[in-house]
Amino acid sequence: MGSLKGRDLLKLSDLSTDEVMELLDIAAQLKSGKLNPRVTVNGHPPVLGLLFYKASTRTRVSFSSAMYHLGGQVLDLPLNATQVSRGEPIADTARVLDRYLDILAIRTFEQSDLETFAKEMEIPVINALTDLEHPCQILADLQTIQETFSTLSGLTLTYVGDGNNVAHSLMIGCALVGMNVRVATPKDYQPLSEIVELTEKIANGQSEVLLTEDPIAAAKGAHVIYTDVWASMGQEDLAASRIPIFQPYQVNDQLMSYADKDAIVLHCLPAHRGEEITHEAIEGKQSKVWDQAENRMHAQKALMASLLGAV
């Protein structure tokens, strides 16, 4: 996996199909205990910086645990604890952090801010969520699907809800591994056209890419039913007004009845039970949500070990 050493992961399409599959293999070996690398950088344990402009539970804790398991250290850098919050240019902060850290994960709003950090830094920079994409989440999602079905190619994933950053990365991830992807959203909440075009280019006619306003049509025969909150971080003031618009896209027993009999339920969390997903769906026997959450740690451990040249 030496090809990833020193690289950034700013969007999922930065990875090739072979690289995604190898990361998933490494993540599985890490989870099973067959692989247990101890990482060093220039003779010292690596230092991971977490620079988060947004709230986080799973991403913060999973990255931290993963780095500790690799033998490294973690510096948590909430925005209000840095000079960025007082107007220091991103480029200045980036050049300084580059001298202190060995790898940096950033959760922010604008993809362009993430890209500025990466441009100014020599160390690997990881997208820990932007408004455009959430690539680390999707690596964990693919790991969970592969664990369940022992394969990825040819399966069908249906995403219902808001055409947001998670939907964007899911589309690209499915296309990279040969999965069919269907996205059901209200008319005015579809994924960005450039993401759709990129997904279709990657799929190259070898797998299905479907956008629809009909959640039932999208769910028919699907192996994975996936949803996310209807109002993402930064959109909390819109949450109440979105409920009647998105209600037909709720993941519930009725929608699951149209999916494959062995279909699984995924949700990237946090979940609003009674809105985008019912209590019965997220806690039911088809739910793999908690395995999915755990796999954030294993997938990110694989990613960081690869970017640091340890595997």
Side-chain angles (χ1 to χ4, degrees), residues 30 36-41 44-50 58-76 101-105 123-124 126 296-310:
L30 289 166
N36 187 28
R38 305 295 285 181
V39 182
T40 59
V41 177
H44 64 76
V47 180
L48 164 69
L50 299 177
R58 278 150 294 277
T59 301
R60 174 178 278 111
V61 179
S62 59
F63 263 112
S64 298
S65 295
M67 180 51 76
Y68 288 135
H69 290 174
L70 292 171
Q73 305 289 327
V74 180
L75 288 177
D76 196 343
L101 305 173
D102 298 300
I103 189 167
L104 177 65
I123 64 171
I126 299 172
R296 291 293 305 279
M297 180 176 66
H298 303 300
Q300 288 158 193
K301 192 191 304 184
L303 175 63
M304 289 192 293
S306 300
L307 296 177
L308 292 171

Side-chain angles (χ1 to χ4, degrees), residues 210-233:
L210 173 69
L211 268 66
T212 179
E213 297 174 42
D214 186 345
I216 292 175
K220 287 183 178 178
H223 302 93
V224 182
I225 302 295
Y226 194 122
T227 192
D228 189 10
V229 294
W230 291 338
S232 299
M233 282 183 285

Side-chain angles (χ1 to χ4, degrees), residues 129-162:
L129 179 144
T130 66
D131 287 351
L132 182 67
E133 280 209 42
H134 197 357
C136 292
Q137 175 66 56
I138 275 56
L139 290 175
D141 299 341
L142 294 175
Q143 181 181 357
T144 308
I145 297 165
Q146 189 177 58
E147 285 176 348
T148 304
F149 296 101
S150 301
T151 189
L152 291 170
S153 180
L155 297 177
T156 297
L157 180 147
T158 292
Y159 174 91
V160 292
D162 186 25

Side-chain angles (χ1 to χ4, degrees), residues 32 40 94 97 121 137 141 172 205-206 310:
S32 69
T40 59
L97 292 179
M121 304 183 83
Q137 175 66 56
D141 299 341
I172 293 167
Q206 301 302 304

Side-chain angles (χ1 to χ4, degrees), residues 15-291:
L15 300 174
S16 68
T17 295
D18 288 346
E19 288 166 344
V20 170
M21 297 307 296
E22 189 162 359
L23 279 174
L24 296 179
D25 180 62
I26 293 168
Q29 292 187 61
L30 289 166
K31 185 174 183 178
S32 69
K34 293 179 180 178
L35 189 63
N36 187 28
R38 305 295 285 181
V39 182
T40 59
V41 177
N42 298 324
H44 64 76
V47 180
L48 164 69
L50 299 177
L51 182 60
F52 283 13
Y53 291 53
K54 296 183 177 185
S56 171
T57 299
R58 278 150 294 277
T59 301
R60 174 178 278 111
V61 179
S62 59
F63 263 112
S64 298
S65 295
M67 180 51 76
Y68 288 135
H69 290 174
L70 292 171
Q73 305 289 327
V74 180
L75 288 177
D76 196 343
L77 303 166
L79 182 63
N80 61 5
T82 71
Q83 295 293 347
V84 173
S85 65
R86 298 179 64 246
E88 181 174 52
I90 287 175
D92 291 2
T93 298
R95 286 193 288 260
V96 171
L97 292 179
D98 195 45
R99 308 290 182 104
Y100 300 151
L101 305 173
D102 298 300
I103 189 167
L104 177 65
I106 302 175
R107 169 171 283 212
T108 187
F109 293 90
E110 297 293 333
Q111 183 78 12
S112 59
D113 289 348
L114 174 74
E115 292 169 356
T116 299
F117 273 101
K119 179 182 177 182
E120 298 293 340
M121 304 183 83
E122 296 295 327
I123 64 171
V125 175
I126 299 172
N127 181 346
L129 179 144
T130 66
D131 287 351
L132 182 67
E133 280 209 42
H134 197 357
C136 292
Q137 175 66 56
I138 275 56
L139 290 175
D141 299 341
L142 294 175
Q143 181 181 357
T144 308
I145 297 165
Q146 189 177 58
E147 285 176 348
T148 304
F149 296 101
S150 301
T151 189
L152 291 170
S153 180
L155 297 177
T156 297
L157 180 147
T158 292
Y159 174 91
V160 292
D162 186 25
N164 59 13
N165 47 6
V166 171
H168 290 163
S169 291
L170 270 175
M171 293 173 68
I172 293 167
C174 287
L176 281 168
V177 301
M179 290 179 63
N180 303 312
V181 59
R182 304 171 185 165
V183 178
T185 67
K187 181 179 180 181
D188 295 328
Y189 299 88
Q190 293 182 340
L192 294 175
S193 59
E194 55 263 38
I195 296 294
V196 177
E197 291 168 6
L198 176 59
T199 301
E200 291 174 339
K201 181 179 179 180
I202 294 170
N204 195 30
Q206 301 302 304
S207 58
E208 177 188 33
V209 180
L210 173 69
L211 268 66
T212 179
E213 297 174 42
D214 186 345
I216 292 175
K220 287 183 178 178
H223 302 93
V224 182
I225 302 295
Y226 194 122
T227 192
D228 189 10
V229 294
W230 291 338
S232 299
M233 282 183 285
Q235 299 175 330
E236 288 81 2
D237 58 331
L238 302 175
S241 63
R242 286 187 172 207
I243 290 175
I245 299 171
F246 283 92
Q247 192 62 47
Y249 298 85
Q250 183 185 74
V251 174
N252 51 35
D253 288 346
Q254 180 182 5
L255 187 69
M256 292 302 299
S257 71
Y258 293 98
D260 183 87
K261 64 181 179 61
D262 295 319
I264 63 173
V265 173
L266 296 182
H267 190 308
C268 55
L269 301 177
H272 296 162
R273 289 165 172 79
E275 293 183 16
E276 76 276 359
I277 193 166
T278 62
H279 176 85
E280 291 75 19
I282 197 170
E283 299 292 353
K285 63 181 181 179
Q286 291 174 284
S287 173
K288 294 290 183 179
V289 169
W290 316 114
D291 293 335

